[in-house]
Structure formats: C-alpha cells, structure tokens
Amino acid sequence: MITSTRRVSPDKSEVRIAFSLDNTSDVKDVEDLSQNFPDLEHRLQPVPPCVSLRESVQVYKEHCRMAREFHQVKHEIAVLEDRKRKLLAELVEDEKVAMEIARLEEEFRRLTEENRNLVTVHNERAQQLERLCLNSQMRQDSS
C-alpha cells in the first residue's frame, strides 16, 4: 500500500492518496478496456482506467454502467417517440373519421327532413288526386 499526503496550497487542507499495486482483484473484472459507446460524444466516452488504482477501475466501471444506461434510455426514448408519432397519426385519422361521421350525420338529418317533406307532399297530392278523381267521377255521373 502506497500512501501519499500532500498540501495543494498553504491555505488548503491536506489531501491523502492511498493505493495498492498488489491488489489486482478489481483489475480481473475490469470490462473490456476498448469499449466504445457510439451514442456518446467522443468527449464523454469512458476513459480506460489506471488498472493499478482500484478507485480508477471503479470510476471506469461506473462510467461504463452509466453509458450503457444512457444507451438504454436513449433507445427507450426513440421507441416512445415512434409510438407517439404513430398515436398522433392515429389521432389525425380518428379526427378525419369523426369529421366524416359528423358530415354524414348532418347529411342524414337533412335527407331525413327532405324525405319527410316529400312524403307529406306526396300524401297531399295523393289526397288531392283522389278528390279530383271523385269530382270528375261525380261530374260524369251527373252528365
């Protein structure tokens, strides 16, 4: 174990750094040092650790974990944005259908009213024709 204590400046407290060169248990499970995360900007890529420093290895592992999590979240966002796009397209289509239904309902109402009027006029004309026929028949009978 190597320990070093330094004072950065006279007005700052001492900083103690300790590390061991013989403990390599963290080094064994260090992830592939050549990992690349294409979703991350170059400046945000995990920097390979100093394998002799346990803290450096731990920071590297944490950085890789966060990079994988970032990739997963970015993927989930893309999936959700695609779902949102599809739902908005469905909404637009549903609104078009609703407008067509409203137009057809209005047309049906108008045609029903027109039909009612035509039936009324038909019945009036049928009665009028019947009266005319009766009047005509009466005239023929009286002549």
Side-chain angles (χ1 to χ4, degrees), residues 12-138:
K12 301 284 181 179
S13 60
E14 289 184 344
V15 175
R16 178 176 289 229
I17 299 173
F19 60 94
S20 171
L21 296 175
D22 56 317
N23 187 352
T24 59
S25 63
D26 281 341
V27 175
K28 291 177 188 169
D29 49 292
V30 169
E31 302 165 33
D32 181 11
L33 295 180
S34 64
Q35 279 197 35
N36 189 14
F37 298 93
D39 292 347
L40 289 178
E41 297 174 26
H42 177 71
R43 65 184 181 86
L44 298 177
Q45 293 288 327
V47 175
C50 176
V51 292
S52 62
L53 296 173
R54 177 182 295 151
E55 290 172 0
S56 177
V57 171
Q58 289 171 341
V59 167
Y60 176 75
K61 285 180 177 181
E62 181 67 12
H63 195 169
C64 289
R65 184 194 63 74
M66 289 189 311
R68 282 190 302 277
E69 187 176 308
F70 173 79
H71 174 73
Q72 180 181 358
V73 168
K74 192 171 180 179
H75 174 72
E76 289 172 4
I77 288 171
V79 168
L80 291 172
E81 284 176 343
D82 187 51
R83 176 83 173 123
K84 175 185 171 184
R85 183 187 52 74
K86 288 177 182 174
L87 287 173
L88 287 173
E90 285 179 28
L91 180 63
V92 167
E93 188 60 33
D94 288 349
E95 287 173 351
K96 287 179 184 176
V97 168
M99 287 173 44
E100 180 65 9
I101 288 171
R103 185 190 68 75
L104 291 172
E105 286 174 340
E106 177 58 27
E107 183 179 356
F108 177 78
R109 186 199 59 74
R110 184 183 55 76
L111 290 172
T112 301
E113 183 64 28
E114 184 179 340
N115 185 47
R116 210 173 300 137
N117 291 337
L118 289 172
V119 167
T120 302
V121 168
H122 172 75
N123 289 338
E124 289 171 355
R125 296 303 172 255
Q127 288 174 358
Q128 191 178 26
L129 178 62
E130 190 177 320
R131 281 192 303 262
L132 288 172
C133 285
L134 282 174
N135 286 341
S136 173
Q137 202 172 34
M138 283 186 186

